[in-house]
Amino acid sequence: MSSQRALCVGINKFKNYPQAALNGCVNDVVDMVSVLKKYMDFKDGDIVRLTDEQATKAVIMANLTEMVDGAKEGRYNYLIFSISTHGTQVPDLNEDELDKADEAFCPHDLAQKGNVWDPDYIITDDELNALFLQLPPTVFLECIFDTCHSGTGLKAIDFLLERKPRFMPPPSLEAFEQVKDYMPRGMAESLRAKGIGVQHTLWAGCRSDQTSADALIEGTWHGAFTYYLCKNIHENQNHLTRSDLLERVRADLERDVYTQIPQLETEATKRSVSPGFSRSMIPTRF
């Protein structure tokens, strides 16, 4: 039995918000699966793909829970969770955020309840934190988030180059007023602050004050971060550490006039992300 498991999520279509459709998120799943299979020894049976209508909150969380439960039972020692969708913010209800806003992912069935997002149809950093904190210290978790954290970082040039932000603003003026005066940390930073990240690797497509681009690249739509991440792994194969990979992705985005700056939250920046990335290379602790 394989000791690894991956969940790759990409959502272009939103059941209740057709006007918020994206274009490159499903292609991001294709790109990530290609890297996992070619360079990281994943087989089809190791990877769960959820796109558009499949990617409801219930299904995403059920698959993440299965991964964590399998790790607790000793069946998995390496987990990957990639998600490409809109990011958003919700008011911090348990007062564990200095910025008064929780970061959140938008599933396909995103819905509003009153003036805010319905908690049954939004995935918050609190929920991910509670789940991932259950992982044994011997398990290596790697998360790749190609979403937006804030609407404030988009520049006019992005609109001129067939790009759109992966950011869904709060659903009402009242909800917006609760978070607008604060700078969100971003999902990866928020999870690190809550305890996830010290022992795991968290990639984010942009800084907490920026947006991640859904972009037309060489005739096909992709998440700009996911596209350049996978491109550099393909091109450089076994010659990159995570910190090297981050710098190459940043350089490519800057060269092609993207405003986002990807982030890496980890203590494992010097570990390989190569075709030789075998189970023996995965440390027992970070």
Side-chain angles (χ1 to χ4, degrees):
M1 177 181 287
S2 175
S3 61
Q4 56 197 18
R5 192 77 165 170
L7 175 62
C8 299
V9 179
I11 308 167
N12 287 335
K13 301 175 183 177
F14 300 88
K15 177 182 177 181
N16 300 309
Y17 301 92
Q19 72 277 12
L22 296 167
N23 297 297
C25 296
V26 173
N27 285 337
D28 287 354
V29 171
V30 175
D31 291 341
M32 286 301 306
V33 169
S34 174
V35 164
L36 294 178
K37 292 173 66 176
K38 188 170 183 179
Y39 300 122
M40 302 176 75
D41 200 31
F42 278 75
K43 309 301 181 187
D44 281 324
D46 302 327
I47 306 169
V48 176
R49 306 163 179 81
L50 297 177
T51 58
D52 288 338
E53 291 84 357
Q54 301 169 322
T56 64
K57 175 178 179 175
V59 174
I60 293 170
M61 295 305 295
N63 276 275
L64 287 176
T65 299
E66 188 280 328
M67 290 167 60
V68 171
D69 287 346
K72 290 161 64 177
E73 295 165 4
R75 291 187 284 119
Y76 309 134
N77 62 19
Y78 183 38
L79 304 177
I80 285 186
F81 172 41
S82 73
I83 183 165
S84 295
T85 183
H86 279 301
T88 189
Q89 298 147 6
V90 296
D92 172 30
L93 299 180
N94 61 358
E95 299 183 350
D96 66 342
E97 295 277 11
L98 294 176
D99 58 16
K100 309 300 182 183
D102 280 329
E103 306 306 318
F105 291 131
C106 299
H108 169 73
D109 54 344
L110 176 73
Q112 185 175 343
K113 184 176 183 179
N115 293 322
V116 298
W117 296 123
D118 189 331
D120 290 337
Y121 302 103
I122 194 78
I123 300 172
T124 68
D125 56 2
D126 283 338
E127 292 174 286
L128 293 182
N129 176 67
L131 184 61
F132 293 152
L133 278 177
Q134 300 176 39
L135 288 170
T138 54
V139 175
F140 185 99
L141 169 69
E142 191 141 27
C143 296
I144 301 98
F145 303 146
D146 200 344
T147 67
C148 289
H149 306 309
S150 169
T152 61
L154 189 68
K155 296 183 180 178
I157 192 169
D158 291 315
F159 290 111
L160 300 175
L161 295 173
E162 296 191 82
R163 302 168 186 171
K164 61 175 69 174
R166 289 182 173 179
F167 177 70
M168 182 81 80
S172 69
L173 177 60
E174 291 83 359
F176 181 75
E177 288 292 330
Q178 294 182 60
V179 301
K180 73 178 181 66
D181 293 328
Y182 303 94
M183 182 65 69
R185 279 194 294 241
M187 182 69 77
E189 294 165 276
S190 183
L191 288 175
R192 165 64 73 85
K194 294 179 180 185
I196 294 298
V198 174
Q199 298 183 10
H200 305 292
T201 299
L202 306 172
W203 296 85
C206 62
R207 288 189 329 215
S208 59
D209 60 340
Q210 297 177 321
T211 55
S212 287
D214 198 58
L216 186 65
I217 303 173
E218 298 184 356
T220 307
W221 285 87
H222 305 265
F225 167 65
T226 298
Y227 176 84
Y228 288 111
L229 182 79
C230 294
K231 171 179 174 287
N232 276 283
I233 292 174
H234 283 301
E235 290 180 349
N236 296 281
Q237 300 184 12
N238 62 341
H239 303 297
L240 292 180
T241 64
R242 282 175 174 77
S243 56
D244 292 333
L245 177 59
L246 178 67
E247 291 308 310
R248 288 175 182 267
V249 172
R250 285 178 171 177
D252 282 346
L253 288 165
E254 182 179 7
R255 182 199 63 231
D256 290 340
V257 201
Y258 288 87
T259 59
Q260 68 196 79
I261 302 174
Q263 305 296 300
L264 176 59
E265 294 283 330
T266 186
E267 293 180 2
T269 57
K270 295 184 179 179
R271 298 203 179 96
S272 171
V273 287
S274 69
F277 194 78
S278 65
R279 299 285 66 76
S280 63
M281 295 177 65
I282 297 175
T284 57
R285 291 193 66 90
F286 291 79

